[in-house]
Amino acid sequence: MRRFARTLTTMALVATVIAGTAGWASGNAQQAVTGAPVGTAAWRAAGLPDPERMSPAEVSRFFAGLGPVRQRELARTHPTVVGNLDGAPLDLRYEANARTTHGQFEGARVLAHDPRGRGQVALVYGDLARAEHVAVIVPGSDTDAAHVRPLADMATALRRATGGRTAVVAWVGYTTPVGVGLDAATGRLAEIGADRLTRFTDGLAAVGAAEPSVFCHSYGSVVCGLAARDLKAKDLVVLGSPGMRAENVAELGTSARVWAAKDPTDWIDRIPNVEVAGLGHGTDPTDPAFGARRVPADDAAGHGGYFTPGTSSLRTFAAIAEGDVR
């Protein structure tokens, strides 16, 4: 009877959270961007291998079989395809995306750029090919190619905190929710994002980049939780997380070290950590029962303050990225 009462209470909590937003959020449901990059039809018509049938490792082998002149010719004639092919040479992708972004993302090299929908982008700070350590930051709601500045600031703050020794990727490679509504309360967008994130890290491995530490903010931690089993990462760090769609670390099925941070002023703490009928994302990763290593965050402020210079959370993130903590 007690268990039944707890279930009813949980469902009521979830309903309260969703009811407060569903009236407007339902009108803002996002259509996830999927499928091959823009320009793929022309690429296929030229007799080139279908991007949707190649793994990143196969993409890497395809380009390895081409000479430098042919590689650059493809980047010039098919920039929207080459620039978004996980597993293609990094410099070639930078060159292709420079042709389509026209300096739009100053201060970063563009590893991916998809103009469909609200726009997706992967921005690189540092030398991804040569860096001994790599970090990837996965954002939550309201992030897209036109609204990437807060994520870019996180990336540059982390890079500075490592003394410039870590290459950092600000990865907006999936369609994020808009606002706090039904999209944010379900795993629909995260499931598609998880597939794309997995392919992205496979692509890093295919070109010989260092295995990354992946930092997952807010709804981005739902993406990381769903991707965890297949994700090539040495660390998974979640911050301001509503849950990872798992009851504990073991259920994630990952060999990566799992870390969690939540500051005492983060509004995410008011979201019920439940999963009922597809709503909610489960256990709070900072709950000791979840089994994640705790990142100190008492001096961070709000939902977006974890990368603020001088905070304990940023210092710890930098140490994790550089492999300086056990």
Side-chain angles (χ1 to χ4, degrees):
M1 191 67 183
R2 279 197 210 119
R3 184 174 180 182
F4 179 68
R6 282 198 303 270
T7 300
L8 287 178
T9 301
T10 295
M11 292 181 72
L13 283 169
V14 174
T16 298
V17 172
I18 300 304
T21 59
W24 61 266
S26 59
N28 287 294
Q30 299 300 297
Q31 181 63 47
V33 171
T34 60
V38 172
T40 295
W43 171 276
R44 290 174 181 141
L48 296 163
D50 189 341
E52 292 190 287
R53 295 178 180 273
M54 288 193 293
S55 69
E58 290 169 333
V59 171
S60 179
R61 287 194 292 271
F62 167 72
F63 280 97
L66 304 176
V69 173
R70 178 57 172 158
Q71 287 185 2
R72 298 194 71 179
E73 180 187 353
L74 291 179
R76 185 174 61 254
T77 56
H78 303 280
T80 57
V81 176
V82 173
N84 290 286
L85 280 182
D86 293 313
L90 297 175
D91 286 343
L92 203 64
R93 293 180 68 177
Y94 296 146
E95 179 183 335
N97 288 314
R99 292 178 177 277
T100 61
T101 57
H102 310 292
Q104 180 181 349
F105 303 99
E106 188 177 354
R109 286 187 284 187
V110 183
L111 187 59
H113 178 253
D114 190 332
R116 293 176 295 173
R118 288 158 41 216
Q120 298 179 8
V121 68
L123 304 179
V124 177
Y125 300 87
D127 191 339
L128 190 56
R130 295 178 177 82
E132 186 177 350
H133 302 289
V134 170
V136 176
I137 307 180
V138 180
S141 297
D142 302 312
T143 312
D144 51 46
H147 302 90
V148 73
R149 177 47 52 193
L151 178 64
D153 289 345
M154 292 179 188
T156 54
L158 180 57
R159 178 161 165 75
R160 282 195 297 267
T162 67
R165 293 179 295 273
T166 296
V168 184
V169 182
W171 184 80
V172 194
Y174 79 108
T175 303
T176 67
V178 171
V180 182
L182 287 175
D183 278 345
T186 66
R188 180 179 65 88
L189 296 177
E191 288 168 2
I192 296 168
D195 290 340
R196 296 173 73 87
L197 179 60
T198 298
R199 186 176 177 90
F200 179 75
T201 60
D202 286 349
L204 295 183
V207 298
E211 188 174 43
S213 295
V214 181
F215 295 81
C216 319
H217 181 233
S218 194
Y219 189 82
S221 66
V222 185
V223 175
C224 291
L226 293 171
R229 190 173 300 275
D230 300 312
L231 199 62
K232 288 183 173 65
K234 64 187 182 70
D235 293 281
L236 277 180
V237 188
V238 299
L239 42 140
S241 173
M244 299 181 75
R245 299 233 145 196
E247 290 303 308
N248 50 53
V249 167
E251 203 171 281
L252 292 172
T254 179
S255 60
R257 298 183 301 179
V258 180
W259 308 77
K262 183 169 65 177
D263 77 63
T265 62
D266 192 336
W267 60 259
I268 204 76
D269 203 33
R270 300 196 295 272
I271 300 297
N273 287 109
V274 296
E275 186 178 351
V276 177
L279 298 175
H281 304 299
T283 304
D284 178 356
T286 63
D287 186 327
F290 189 80
R293 303 168 187 231
R294 191 70 185 264
V295 173
D298 286 347
D299 54 354
H303 191 54
Y306 295 93
F307 287 87
T308 301
T311 56
S312 301
S313 51
L314 180 59
R315 284 194 296 272
T316 306
F317 294 164
I320 292 168
E322 294 198 277
D324 290 340
V325 288
R326 297 281 180 248

